[in-house]
Amino acid sequence: MNVHTYEKVWLGAAMVLIVFFIASVTYGAIGAGVAMVDDSEETIDPDTLGEDDRFGDPRVEQVGDDEYEVYAVARTFVFQPDPIEVPEDSTVTFYITSGDVIHSFSVVGTNANVMVIPGEVATMTVEVDEPGEYGIVCNEYCGPGHHDMEGLLVVQPEDEFELEDDE
Amino acid sequence: MSAETGSATGVASEGRTYIDQFPGEARLVRTAFWSSFVALGIGGLMGLVQVLHRADVLRVIDSTDYYAVLTLHGVLLALTFTIFFLVGIFTWAITTSLDRGLEDLRFTWAWYGLMAGGTALAAIPILGGLTDAVEMSASVLFTFYAPLQAHPLFYLGLALFVVGTWLAGLDWIRSYLAWRRENPDERIPLPTFMVLTTLGFWYLSSLGVALAVVVFLLPWSLGIWEQVNPLLTRTMFWYFGHPVVYFWLMPVYMMWYLMLPKVSGGKLFSDPLARVVFVLFLVLSTPTGIHHQYLDPGIAEGFKFIAMTNTMFLLLPSLLTAFTVVASMEHGARQRGGTGTFGWLRALPWRDPVFTGMALAGVMFAAAGFSGMVNAGMNINYLVHNTFWIVGHFHLTVGTAVALTFMAVTYWFLPQVSGKRLWNRSVALAQVVLWFVGMVLMSNAMHRGGLDSVPRRTAEPQYRGFEIEPTLGTMAELDAQIVLGGTILFVSLVLFLVVVVMTGLGDRVDDLPANEYAETLSGPEDAPLVLDNLKLWVGIAVVLVVLAYALPLAAIVDRGGLFGPGGSPFPVFVGCLEPTVSASVAFLGDHLPAAVSGWW
């Protein structure tokens, strides 16, 4: 096949670019440790979340020094619990499921962003450092009140933080 | 045929227009184009309603009705506008390059009728979502993710539309086979090659959505199944949902390979490389769909990684196209007397709307390529997934690379299929430039807003409990760009429709240029014969699809069952059930107490 020299050079450069992209994503996964949401959780019946240990009572739990777990439910058109309160400088693992349709759980201004699919439990571990109030939006269309669906993630300064059930 | 270049492409019409050569086929192409333009007009108007609504400049509808408008916008523009135009172009490509009419025009009109009928059936419940007069709705958007449930007519219409495209494909394949019997030793003409490779992945991928609709969603909407597996039907949608973007894009690439060199005044740089590009799309288009599901729970990271790798390699044919398109334009410019490293750019026919529209579409597609590379990056995708960034991205791809190219080539095709002179070239030129300007503004602001987490697909990106703060500039500035850009786009759209209507109202003339496409510098004789072995390439495509999809689908079914781990349908019928009260309030009132008592 007759391929022009310039075209060969371009082809080579394109292949280098593609391999570089794949390498950088691989580095992101292995080196920088950006894990993808996966299938590590069992499926769950969205109609019986009320009877579930974790999602029957959506809440924040401390599981270690500076380690917290959040069991959250997305439903038309609310997030539970709301607000979600965690202390600064902690590692927070979110377990999120849906009671009805597909939603998302997306923390504004961060890359904490995950799809919430009925029947599945999405897990995502994030490092929480800066204290402040972060908006949570549903960025997947979920019905006529979709635009009203919002929540709040409150990152408390360490000395002010208290878990509700400790009170 | 032009023997001196040794090229099989080129003049086939002996100075005649398409309508002189194939009057019956020209009528079909014309009708398909008009169907496409009606969809474009309505879909574009919905787009204007949306930009004004989101920015809170003018809200002519309730926010709860926004999603019916958005469904109409998505379905009419992403499927109806693009695919009706495609069947027009592909019919032209097959008949022109094989130099023979379709085998039986009754069959041709039958598939057109199926596509048009399917569109109408799907449109009825979507429009029903806008009025309280009928108890129908399909506000499920272009992606119709279960358990959001549309009226059965919506699914039925979609299925008929897809079957219509399958029959269209059979019609073209039938022409090709008839030609092959008479020309057993000829190379497949390049335009026909492009149609056949595109059909290869279209059959492969649209089978997924057809099965999702016919096996699961349609019976479920009729009450035959009680539930479906939302992750499964969603995965089947994206199995089709990514290749469909190449289905829109392949006629555009065809135009960039066949028409852009010609209107630039030159020749296509390389026929063999064009074939390689289309083979790569045939092979790689489908095993990539899971990159739309990077953030989905229930799919293992390894499957996402495979989809990511395939997606990155899919950059290759587009990067090759960028080279060929620019090289062909430069060749044309130098034929026209252009000189210098960049000075040749001035020698291009910038006053020709066909050229300028396609060239600007190409520029925007390059920008779309860059934002697409970001989307494809599995871990960076967390930042942009489902944000306004994505909307900015696909308004550069389908909204500009595809739409602007289609509008630009319409200015060449319309005289060919109607025998009438283009009404006004200056208005046409202004139209394509306005589209470019409008999209630069709108798409730029969408990309920027997305980086700051502004979500897509919402009627009101304004929240009660917090504000989304742009890192650069202000939200008011981004909104202003989007409203201004969207308005310019709508003006451009109106100008386009004025030009096509006025052209249609004109009289037949007999001094139009002939029906031709570009000759090649390096012709098919330079292309290895294996490239034309379509069975081989389809076979490889099937193997790659099985490798990329068999395990994820098996895992999804194994985990959640064919019909899901539970969950009730969620009919999007609210607007009609509660005609007097604001629908969302009524909805919350109906559902929240029950739901809350279930939790606590």
Side-chain angles (χ1 to χ4, degrees):
Chain A
M1 190 161 115
N2 176 19
V3 180
H4 196 279
T5 314
Y6 289 151
E7 202 150 19
K8 281 184 188 150
V9 171
W10 179 265
L11 183 67
M15 288 302 288
V16 168
L17 183 73
I18 288 168
V19 171
F20 168 77
F21 281 143
I22 294 174
S24 80
V25 172
T26 309
Y27 170 76
I30 297 168
V34 183
M36 298 310 295
V37 183
D38 65 9
D39 61 349
S40 52
E41 291 291 312
E42 296 284 302
T43 56
I44 186 169
D45 182 349
D47 286 340
T48 57
L49 291 186
E51 300 150 26
D52 186 82
D53 290 344
R54 294 184 296 181
F55 300 106
D57 173 22
R59 64 192 182 276
V60 179
E61 260 186 20
Q62 183 162 14
V63 293
D65 291 345
D66 303 324
E67 282 182 30
Y68 294 82
E69 289 187 345
V70 178
Y71 308 118
V73 175
R75 245 179 233 273
T76 51
F77 302 101
V78 288
F79 291 104
Q80 291 275 328
D82 185 30
I84 295 171
E85 295 180 336
V86 292
E88 64 179 317
D89 295 325
S90 60
T91 304
V92 180
T93 302
F94 291 92
Y95 296 84
I96 313 155
T97 193
S98 165
D100 39 47
V101 299
I102 298 180
H103 301 277
S104 93
F105 180 94
S106 308
V107 183
V108 171
T110 74
N111 65 351
N113 184 8
V114 73
M115 300 307 299
V116 184
I117 298 177
E120 300 287 345
V121 177
T123 59
M124 169 174 69
T125 301
V126 299
E127 301 297 327
V128 172
D129 36 29
E130 290 284 309
E133 292 193 348
Y134 299 82
I136 300 170
V137 298
C138 169
N139 67 20
E140 184 53 84
Y141 166 64
C142 56
H146 169 53
H147 45 273
D148 293 325
M149 186 159 172
E150 60 175 89
L152 214 54
L153 172 68
V154 181
V155 178
Q156 306 270 25
E158 207 154 4
D159 47 354
E160 288 174 30
F161 179 73
E162 232 179 320
L163 269 184
E164 273 178 37
D165 17 20
D166 297 345
E167 280 167 17
Chain B
M1 303 283 166
S2 41
E4 64 279 7
T5 62
S7 164
T9 60
V11 187
S13 62
E14 287 140 11
R16 294 188 298 160
T17 56
Y18 187 72
I19 191 174
D20 294 332
Q21 291 175 281
F22 304 108
E25 285 78 0
R27 183 152 166 263
L28 181 276
V29 175
R30 225 161 46 226
T31 312
F33 281 175
W34 279 108
S35 313
S36 164
F37 300 154
V38 168
L40 179 63
I42 300 170
L45 177 63
M46 296 302 119
L48 181 67
V49 170
Q50 288 164 72
V51 290
L52 297 175
H53 193 99
R54 273 185 70 114
D56 201 8
V57 171
L58 175 67
R59 289 185 168 163
V60 293
I61 47 166
D62 277 347
S63 286
T64 48
D65 288 338
Y66 178 89
Y67 306 101
V69 168
L70 182 53
T71 306
L72 204 56
H73 180 77
V75 171
L76 283 183
L77 293 181
L79 294 178
T80 318
F81 159 63
T82 50
I83 297 180
F84 271 109
F85 202 86
L86 174 147
V87 297
I89 285 194
F90 277 12
T91 300
W92 166 85
I94 286 281
T95 48
T96 299
S97 67
L98 299 178
D99 198 18
R100 67 183 298 139
L102 295 170
E103 299 308 300
D104 183 350
L105 280 176
R106 285 171 306 180
F107 181 72
T108 307
W109 284 103
W111 59 250
Y112 169 79
L114 213 49
M115 286 175 65
T119 305
L121 283 187
I124 291 168
I126 301 177
L127 289 169
L130 282 172
T131 161
D132 302 330
V134 285
E135 295 226 345
M136 271 188 195
S137 165
S139 298
V140 290
L141 308 193
F142 161 66
T143 45
F144 51 90
Y145 295 137
L148 291 176
Q149 191 180 59
H151 191 275
L153 274 186
F154 176 79
Y155 302 113
L156 183 66
L158 276 182
L160 291 180
F161 181 82
V162 170
V163 172
T165 65
W166 291 350
L167 297 181
L170 282 185
D171 204 6
W172 303 321
I173 291 171
R174 200 172 157 201
S175 272
Y176 163 71
L177 292 176
W179 172 88
R180 180 50 91 197
R181 278 192 294 276
E182 292 167 19
N183 302 274
D185 302 319
E186 292 248 1
R187 292 302 292 262
I188 305 172
L190 184 58
T192 297
F193 184 86
M194 292 168 162
V195 171
L196 295 177
T197 43
T198 304
L199 283 175
F201 75 76
W202 178 246
Y203 283 119
L204 189 59
S205 64
S206 55
L207 190 63
V209 76
L211 286 177
V213 167
V214 173
V215 176
F216 295 109
L217 299 175
L218 180 57
W220 170 67
S221 71
L222 291 166
I224 298 171
W225 308 137
E226 277 183 23
Q227 24 182 54
V228 294
N229 184 336
L231 183 59
L232 178 62
T233 48
R234 172 180 168 89
T235 305
M236 290 169 86
F237 176 84
W238 284 117
Y239 170 83
F240 145 91
H242 197 70
V244 74
V245 312
Y246 297 110
F247 196 50
W248 313 325
L249 203 58
M250 289 306 98
V252 171
Y253 274 32
M254 177 191 270
M255 291 297 103
W256 290 353
Y257 279 102
L258 297 179
M259 282 298 160
L260 192 57
K262 191 177 94 72
V263 296
S264 306
K267 292 178 180 177
L268 172 61
F269 198 73
S270 166
D271 169 296
L273 259 296
R275 285 176 204 250
V276 169
V277 164
F278 276 76
V279 164
L280 284 172
F281 277 115
L282 163 58
V283 169
L284 285 173
S285 288
T286 314
T288 53
I290 288 177
H291 73 220
H292 289 260
Q293 300 176 279
Y294 282 153
L295 302 194
D296 280 16
I299 300 178
E301 181 160 10
F303 300 144
K304 294 174 179 174
F305 193 88
I306 292 170
M308 182 277 294
T309 311
N310 288 341
T311 306
M312 291 300 183
F313 276 104
L314 205 40
L315 285 172
L316 188 63
S318 285
L319 289 167
L320 287 177
T321 300
F323 178 91
T324 309
V325 167
V326 176
S328 304
M329 275 167 45
E330 179 176 346
H331 174 74
R334 296 200 187 279
Q335 296 296 306
R336 295 165 62 94
T339 52
T341 309
F342 294 106
W344 57 269
L345 284 166
R346 281 198 301 272
L348 288 166
W350 293 107
R351 302 185 76 81
D352 178 358
V354 182
F355 170 81
T356 301
M358 275 197 279
L360 293 177
V363 170
M364 294 294 258
F365 192 58
F370 294 116
S371 65
M373 291 170 194
V374 172
N375 304 343
M378 194 166 77
N379 20 42
I380 309 175
N381 189 264
Y382 274 111
L383 188 66
V384 295
H385 185 85
N386 266 355
T387 68
F388 221 16
W389 165 284
I390 303 297
V391 186
H393 167 74
F394 65 68
H395 278 84
L396 291 180
T397 54
V398 65
T400 306
V402 176
L404 185 54
T405 298
F406 283 179
M407 290 189 281
V409 297
T410 295
Y411 298 140
W412 183 84
F413 273 107
L414 214 50
Q416 286 297 321
V417 297
S418 69
K420 295 168 180 177
R421 200 185 310 284
L422 189 67
W423 172 66
N424 189 317
R425 281 167 65 93
S426 305
V427 174
L429 183 61
Q431 185 267 316
V432 296
V433 173
L434 280 176
W435 192 273
F436 176 80
V437 172
M439 199 58 89
V440 166
L441 291 168
M442 189 173 89
S443 168
N444 166 53
M446 285 173 166
H447 276 98
R448 281 175 50 199
L451 288 180
D452 296 307
S453 304
V454 176
R456 66 187 288 193
R457 293 184 153 181
T458 180
E460 300 177 13
Q462 297 88 18
Y463 293 88
R464 293 179 304 273
F466 54 89
E467 275 185 33
I468 300 180
E469 302 275 354
T471 33
L472 203 71
T474 62
M475 200 53 78
E477 178 237 311
L478 293 182
D479 282 343
Q481 273 199 57
I482 289 172
V483 168
L484 182 62
T487 308
I488 292 173
L489 286 165
F490 186 70
V491 169
S492 171
L493 174 61
V494 170
L495 291 180
F496 173 75
L497 294 175
V498 166
V499 173
V500 297
V501 168
M502 293 305 287
T503 303
L505 293 174
D507 297 320
R508 285 286 295 265
V509 293
D510 51 14
D511 57 347
L512 292 169
N515 175 29
E516 289 172 345
Y517 54 90
E519 294 178 22
T520 52
L521 284 172
S522 166
E525 67 283 353
D526 291 330
L529 268 176
V530 67
L531 282 176
D532 287 16
N533 187 347
L534 294 172
K535 283 182 188 142
L536 170 71
W537 302 121
V538 170
I540 293 176
V542 170
V543 168
L544 281 180
V545 163
V546 170
L547 287 178
Y549 268 101
L551 289 175
L553 286 174
I556 290 168
V557 172
D558 184 46
R559 288 165 50 79
L562 263 185
F563 294 92
S568 315
F570 190 92
V572 197
F573 289 179
V574 181
C576 42
L577 292 177
E578 299 291 338
T580 50
V581 199
S582 164
S584 76
V585 173
F587 187 85
L588 283 169
D590 286 344
H591 290 253
L592 261 187
V596 170
S597 63
W599 298 334
W600 300 110

